[in-house]
């Protein structure tokens, strides 16, 4: 069997595509420390790929830890908050040997699904970040690029062929899917492969505005692009070092005009000030500018470790922590806003969306069954952002 599986180009062809990409610096990421971890320089292709990116950051310190796995790199600070802050300015190149996984979460209405990780963590700095509380990121909080993308694609191909049915592979569970696209060209290189595969499909989630070569790729409708969106007021207060909602909307429109299926994840909904007006305004702008195929709502849903980081960033009396229920949910260990507030927000936003674009599919993310029932979306269970 040729490398790359029965379907899709051989592995060497993927390296040819990756090395044809001209890397450039993303607007929102300027690493001060670059670490070359185990596997990052193992082949000539990996070395060339890494060297071209490292050259873009001549002022960054470069460390070789080629005997150390990416998740064991010594931290640059002694405490949790310091590691988190330093990690946003650290770029680690490494190899992820179990990058394709099946999510097996329990305790909420989200379906389990296949996801993959060519990156780790995220250079953006949302104050409410839930990802910072997941164990892999909490213990190893640095921005990572995994250089074994051809092997990751091979595993996607094998998994999809074994399943023998159209299956979504989600990029965005443990990273932002496009934040580093200008550096790597990863997503643009994968889109044509998903477009010709009989079973594998790609769905992704991002806050990025620079989508690189993605709009020009032949996608065959088999890659679905999703944007996480917030109103300008929420962005200004809680989303540091993140592209503006207006720039995200412009990127979304470019991709929609190129024929991609586009979804929106309105999450986390934070009831600040006149929240009904500002979220209704955002929905009107979104749904009258872009044809959104699926709209997913969600609130704050964080693990205790992430809450502690929020309070280090914004103080213990910050509006997000102050509104959270005092204890984590028994089933999935996450803390959320009170159920009455979530139900009120979802009902209001569903009504607004239905008036503007009645054919848009609606669902909620990481919610509880009783909330879905109270807002009348029980039939949408399992039809959220991450799946087909």
């Amino acid at each position: 069997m040729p490398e790359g599986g029965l379907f899709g180009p051989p592995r060497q062809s993927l390296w040819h595509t990756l090395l044809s990409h001209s890397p450039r610096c993303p607007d929102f990421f300027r690493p001060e420390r670059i670490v070359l971890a185990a596997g990052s320089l193992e082949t000539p292709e990996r070395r060339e790929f890494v060297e071209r990116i490292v050259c873009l950051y001549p002022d960054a310190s470069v460390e070789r830890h080629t005997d150390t796995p990416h998740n064991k790199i010594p931290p640059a600070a002694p405490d949790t908050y310091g590691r988190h802050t330093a990690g946003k300015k650290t770029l680690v190149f490494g190899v992820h040997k179990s990058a394709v996984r099946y999510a097996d979460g329990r305790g909420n209405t989200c379906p389990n699904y296949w996801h993959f990780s060519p990156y780790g963590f995220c250079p953006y700095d949302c104050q409410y970040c839930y990802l910072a509380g997941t164990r892999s990121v909490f213990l190893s909080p640095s921005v990572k690029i995994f250089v074994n993308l051809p092997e990751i694609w091979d595993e996607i191909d094998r998994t999809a062929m074994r399943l023998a049915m159209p299956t979504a592979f989600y990029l965005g569970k443990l990273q932002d899917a496009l934040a580093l696209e200008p550096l790597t060209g990863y997503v643009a290189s994968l889109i044509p492969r998903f477009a010709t595969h009989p079973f594998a499909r790609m769905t992704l989630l991002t806050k990025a505005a620079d989508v690189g070569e993605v709009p020009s790729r032949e996608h065959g409708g088999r890659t679905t692009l999703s944007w996480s969106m917030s109103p300008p007021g929420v962005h200004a207060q809680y989303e540091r070092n993140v592209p503006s909602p207006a720039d995200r909307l412009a990127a979304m429109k470019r991709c929609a005009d190129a024929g991609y299926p586009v979804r929106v994840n309105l999450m986390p909904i934070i009831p600040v000030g006149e929240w009904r007006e500002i979220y209704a305004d955002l929905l009107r702008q979104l749904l009258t500018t872009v044809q959104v195929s699926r709209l997913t709502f969600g609130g704050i849903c964080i693990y205790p470790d992430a809450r502690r980081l929020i309070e280090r960033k914004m103080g213990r009396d910050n509006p997000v922590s102050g509104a959270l229920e005092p204890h984590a949910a028994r089933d999935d260990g996450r803390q959320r806003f009170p159920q009455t507030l979530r139900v009120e927000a979802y009902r209001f936003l569903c009504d607004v969306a239905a008036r503007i674009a009645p054919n848009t599919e609606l669902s909620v993310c990481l919610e509880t069954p009783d909330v879905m029932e109270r807002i009348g979306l029980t039939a949408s269970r399992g039809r959220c952002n991450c799946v087909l």
Side-chain angles (χ1 to χ4, degrees), residues 10 13 35 64 76 105-106 133 139 162 198 201 253 279 289 310 341 351 369 374 379-380:
S13 175
V35 181
R64 288 177 175 253
R106 299 178 181 179
L139 297 173
R162 184 178 73 249
R201 310 290 183 262
K253 189 174 187 309
Y279 278 97
T289 302
I310 288 174
L341 178 57
D351 288 345
R374 289 184 63 185
S380 295

Side-chain angles (χ1 to χ4, degrees), residues 353-375:
R355 289 196 300 270
I356 300 169
N359 293 326
T360 304
E361 191 172 8
L362 305 177
S363 191
V364 292
C365 183
L366 290 171
E367 264 302 345
T368 56
D370 51 345
V371 166
M372 287 201 79
E373 184 175 355
R374 289 184 63 185
I375 61 177

Side-chain angles (χ1 to χ4, degrees), residues 104-334:
D104 58 355
R106 299 178 181 179
N108 57 61
T109 57
C110 285
N112 290 320
Y113 53 89
W114 288 95
H115 62 98
F116 68 106
S117 295
Y119 305 114
F121 205 21
C122 171
Y124 301 145
D125 193 18
C126 299
Q127 303 299 283
Y128 51 72
C129 179
Y130 82 92
L131 184 56
T134 60
R135 296 312 295 166
S136 61
V137 171
F138 187 76
L139 297 173
S140 180
S142 58
V143 179
K144 299 180 178 71
I145 296 175
F146 299 121
V147 298
N148 58 319
L149 186 68
E151 289 80 7
I152 293 172
W153 167 252
D154 288 351
E155 183 62 23
I156 291 171
D157 172 43
R158 286 192 294 269
T159 301
M161 293 304 297
R162 184 178 73 249
L163 297 171
M165 59 184 295
T167 302
F169 290 82
Y170 180 63
L171 172 53
K173 177 178 173 61
L174 299 172
Q175 59 284 115
D176 184 287
L178 292 174
L180 302 181
E181 180 68 11
L183 282 178
T184 67
Y186 273 3
V187 170
S189 73
L190 289 175
I191 287 170
R193 286 162 172 77
F194 280 98
T196 58
H197 200 282
F199 303 120
R201 310 290 183 262
M202 180 162 59
T203 63
L204 59 81
L205 180 64
T206 186
K207 284 185 169 76
D210 186 345
V211 294
E213 299 302 314
V214 167
S216 67
R217 291 296 185 261
E218 293 293 333
H219 55 82
R222 294 183 174 185
T223 289
T224 299
L225 306 178
S226 308
W227 270 265
S228 174
M229 294 292 290
S230 298
V234 172
H235 170 265
Q237 187 171 355
Y238 295 106
E239 296 181 349
R240 297 178 182 175
N241 195 50
V242 180
S244 71
D247 289 344
R248 281 179 254 173
L249 180 58
M252 193 186 307
K253 189 174 187 309
R254 280 186 63 204
C255 293
D257 289 347
Y260 282 96
V262 169
R263 298 174 182 174
V264 170
N265 194 19
L266 206 61
M267 181 180 183
I269 298 164
I270 302 177
V272 295
E274 301 297 325
W275 65 268
R276 293 172 184 80
E277 287 78 3
I278 66 173
Y279 278 97
D281 287 345
L282 176 63
L283 280 178
R284 279 190 287 270
Q285 189 173 21
L286 284 171
L287 297 176
T288 58
T289 302
V290 177
Q291 183 175 348
V292 175
S293 62
R294 187 176 298 172
L295 177 61
T296 303
F297 302 112
I300 293 284
C301 51
I302 59 174
Y303 296 112
D305 285 336
R307 177 175 182 163
R308 284 188 280 273
L309 283 171
I310 288 174
E311 292 173 353
R312 281 296 307 273
K313 294 177 182 180
M314 299 191 292
R316 290 191 176 183
D317 60 347
N318 71 82
V320 172
S321 290
L324 288 171
E325 294 178 319
H327 304 291
R330 183 177 60 229
D331 293 332
D332 68 359
R334 297 175 185 267

Side-chain angles (χ1 to χ4, degrees), residues 33-94:
R33 180 190 183 209
I34 297 176
V35 181
L36 312 180
S40 59
L41 304 177
E42 198 170 73
T43 67
E45 293 86 1
R46 291 180 186 180
R47 286 196 296 273
E48 181 178 351
F49 177 81
V50 169
E51 288 169 0
R52 290 167 55 171
I53 294 176
V54 171
C55 286
L56 296 176
Y57 300 106
D59 296 329
S61 67
V62 179
E63 304 172 19
R64 288 177 175 253
H65 293 272
T66 52
D67 293 327
T68 307
H70 66 87
N71 58 346
K72 301 294 184 181
I73 295 299
D79 64 296
T80 299
Y81 178 68
R83 289 197 301 271
H84 174 80
T85 302
K88 293 288 186 179
K89 299 177 182 179
T90 300
L91 174 59
V92 175
F93 290 95

